[in-house]
Amino acid sequence: MLLLYILFGVYILAVNFYAVMLIKSQKDESGGDQAKMHTGDGKLILCALLGGAVGIYVSMFVMKYRLKNMMLMILMPVIAVLNIYFMVIAFKSGFTFIAV
């Protein structure tokens, strides 16, 4: 059971690291071009749904990037709360919802 907790923790850390790198690469590619500003929203939302919403939201503020995009500014905290809620449920239940 301990191995499952470790794997889940590593997965969450890896997804959040990927989310931060995704924001950084989008910021580097855009260079202030407004036309390219909305490309990659699907990648960000998918990464957030997979568990990286906290990483995306924090890195948006740290890098001061896409703060005027209201969809991301509202959607990321909502998905982050859902991610944290499901993580707490998973750890409390001991991952018993997984058929072994």
Side-chain angles (χ1 to χ4, degrees):
M1 186 58 80
L2 181 62
L3 181 62
L4 194 58
Y5 287 133
I6 292 170
L7 287 175
F8 188 70
V10 168
Y11 167 77
I12 294 299
L13 288 174
V15 170
N16 280 293
F17 179 74
Y18 174 73
V20 171
M21 291 296 115
L22 187 61
I23 289 285
K24 184 180 180 321
S25 70
Q26 283 187 359
K27 182 179 179 183
D28 292 343
E29 286 176 2
S30 72
D33 187 14
Q34 290 293 335
K36 294 177 95 178
M37 192 70 147
H38 296 290
T39 59
D41 282 350
K43 289 180 185 177
L44 289 175
I45 293 171
L46 179 64
C47 187
L49 289 173
L50 291 174
V54 174
I56 291 172
Y57 195 64
V58 169
S59 64
M60 283 171 58
F61 281 104
V62 169
M63 296 179 198
K64 294 183 174 90
Y65 179 66
R66 299 186 73 166
L67 296 176
K68 293 182 181 179
N69 189 342
M70 290 307 292
M71 181 187 73
L72 291 179
M73 293 303 292
I74 293 171
L75 194 61
M76 286 305 133
V78 171
I79 295 175
V81 168
L82 289 174
N83 284 341
I84 292 170
Y85 174 72
F86 287 129
M87 284 182 226
V88 168
I89 294 292
F91 277 105
K92 277 188 177 181
S93 70
F95 295 99
T96 56
F97 53 87
I98 298 174
V100 178

